[in-house]
Amino acid sequence: MDLNELNATARALVAPGKGILAADESGGTIKKRFDSIDVESTEENRRDYREMLFTAKGAGDFISGVILYDETIRQNAHDGTRLVKLLEDEGIIPGIKVDTGAMPLAFADGETLTEGLDGLRGRLAEYRELGARFAKWRATYSITDDLPSDYCIEVNAQALARYAALCQEAGIVPIVEPEVLMEGTHTIERSFVVTEAAQHALFHELYEQRCVYEGLLLKPNMVLPGYECTQQASDEEIAKATVRCFRSTVPAAVPGVVFLSGGQSDEQATARLDAMNKLGPHPWELSFSYGRALQAPALKAWRGSAENVDAGRDAYLHRAKLNSAARYGKYTPDMEKAAS
Ligand code: 13P
């Protein structure tokens, strides 16, 4: 393991004004996204869509890295150039999702354990050959009156740490993603307690399994009330709760925290990241690793048609630029209307 290289990659991923695009939707998830715009999920359409995003000129000013799916890291653009090369040409670091999904956890109704450890050492070596310099593994926790259980938190923390250790050994920066889901009626206070417990267990396991904090990134949820909670919270309340939670769970040695959007609207995800950065300085960079919140407008503008590729790229660049402003706490809602 070359700690200097890991640390340099982790810091490049959270460089000033930059964040990550999560474009690692699995086969099932990308089909859902394409269904919403009436586009068939064929290998060619998936390639066309991602090629559109990866050829957006200037994206590298706002985007440090892109998380790819197994199919995409092997795909070529129309002209035969590898998609990975398109990213590298724009100064963007390729990454790869390596978990194989959240499966039902034995003896734990309604809970999941994320799988993908079998053969992971070999897959990481191949992904590094293919150009990946960072990876992602997502664990999920549902909130109800009784869940998540300590059992679910513990086994997911162990799996995340085992993945992270294998990544660091292979010279790949692990992004560890313990996602507390927003579905439900729970309050922001309950989201705080569960998020704190999941992160506390995770950092303990990362320590036990000899991972180096300087060479990894955390990809968490924000501390938010459930979608169906009757008491919603302001962006400032969410920002304060999230920062307060992380100050007690995330070691200062971790270079950065890159939030998932988790079904917030694109504008909310930007405004809340901005509100957190306005509270800074913080011990770590607070950045983004958004999927839906960066792609939703681009997907709608594209609609599967070659004629709309420029409009799709513009919509993506516009969102990337606003999230870049939020990295400095310099976003204002009127920027939403400005042309990209
Ligand atoms: P969302 O921002 O759409 O939640 O996706 C981020 C991600 O990578 C989830 O694993």
Side-chain angles (χ1 to χ4, degrees):
M1 176 177 75
D2 179 345
L3 178 57
N4 287 336
E5 187 195 335
L6 287 174
N7 180 244
T9 304
R11 283 188 295 110
L13 287 167
V14 291
K18 293 190 191 184
I20 296 169
L21 166 68
D24 60 329
E25 297 82 3
S26 62
T29 305
I30 195 76
K31 180 176 180 317
K32 243 192 277 172
R33 305 275 183 271
F34 278 12
D35 283 350
S36 75
I37 52 163
D38 278 325
V39 171
E40 198 188 340
S41 182
T42 61
E43 186 177 344
E44 198 180 339
N45 286 341
R46 293 192 292 271
R47 189 275 308 272
D48 288 353
Y49 173 62
R50 285 160 172 157
E51 182 175 343
M52 171 182 84
L53 298 177
F54 302 170
T55 49
K57 283 280 161 277
D61 293 344
F62 317 119
I63 301 294
S64 54
V66 172
I67 315 174
L68 304 168
Y69 188 57
D70 181 80
E71 173 184 271
T72 324
I73 201 170
R74 303 170 192 281
Q75 259 172 340
N76 293 335
H78 282 94
D79 66 0
T81 314
R82 292 188 53 221
L83 292 184
V84 166
K85 171 87 169 43
L86 296 177
L87 294 175
E88 290 166 349
D89 288 349
E90 190 53 48
I92 293 174
I93 305 170
I96 181 75
K97 168 203 188 79
V98 299
D99 68 72
T100 55
M103 303 299 166
L105 175 61
F107 307 122
D109 253 2
E111 299 197 285
T112 62
L113 171 64
T114 298
E115 298 188 351
L117 289 170
D118 287 353
L120 183 56
R121 180 179 270 125
R123 287 197 289 133
L124 288 169
E126 187 195 6
Y127 286 140
R128 200 182 140 96
E129 282 293 302
L130 290 169
R133 291 294 175 272
F134 72 102
K136 181 191 105 170
W137 178 290
R138 171 175 178 256
T140 59
Y141 314 85
S142 296
I143 300 187
T144 67
D145 287 347
D146 312 311
L147 302 181
S149 64
D150 292 347
Y151 164 41
C152 172
I153 287 177
E154 185 54 35
V155 291
N156 274 293
Q158 284 169 2
L160 275 160
R162 286 190 58 197
Y163 138 83
L166 285 164
C167 284
Q168 291 193 332
E169 181 193 74
I172 288 181
V173 169
I175 297 187
V176 287
E177 181 176 3
E179 178 176 2
V180 177
L181 299 167
M182 290 164 58
E183 281 78 16
T185 55
H186 55 272
T187 60
I188 189 168
E189 288 81 14
R190 178 123 170 83
S191 170
F192 185 108
V193 170
V194 172
T195 302
E196 186 179 42
Q199 292 185 7
H200 179 73
L202 172 58
F203 281 102
H204 175 72
E205 274 302 325
L206 289 166
Y207 172 79
E208 291 291 336
Q209 299 195 37
R210 307 179 181 181
C211 296
V212 182
Y213 293 150
E214 285 87 347
L216 58 85
L217 297 172
L218 175 69
K219 175 162 176 169
N221 52 286
M222 296 181 196
V223 174
L224 299 166
Y227 285 135
E228 289 101 36
C229 177
T230 48
Q231 268 182 294
Q232 288 299 314
S234 69
D235 296 344
E236 287 66 34
E237 286 165 333
I238 288 164
K240 279 191 185 148
T242 305
V243 168
R244 190 162 74 84
C245 180
F246 292 12
R247 287 185 71 86
S248 67
T249 53
V250 186
V254 173
V257 170
V258 292
F259 290 96
L260 60 97
S261 60
Q264 301 175 73
S265 75
D266 29 331
E267 295 183 18
Q268 282 174 332
T270 308
R272 291 164 180 175
L273 176 64
D274 182 73
M276 281 186 267
N277 277 314
K278 282 194 167 82
L279 298 173
H282 303 294
W284 354 256
E285 295 293 324
L286 291 186
S287 184
F288 56 90
S289 174
Y290 292 157
R292 283 162 283 182
L294 271 172
Q295 293 186 52
L299 196 63
K300 260 194 234 150
W302 175 59
R303 293 200 167 277
S305 161
E307 284 162 27
N308 298 333
V309 160
D310 284 340
R313 285 195 193 113
D314 287 349
Y316 163 56
L317 284 172
H318 186 56
R319 271 300 4 117
K321 190 171 169 181
L322 299 196
N323 283 301
S324 171
R327 289 280 279 107
Y328 298 107
K330 292 205 163 130
Y331 162 81
T332 55
D334 54 294
M335 292 164 81
E336 292 291 345
K337 286 175 216 88
S340 60

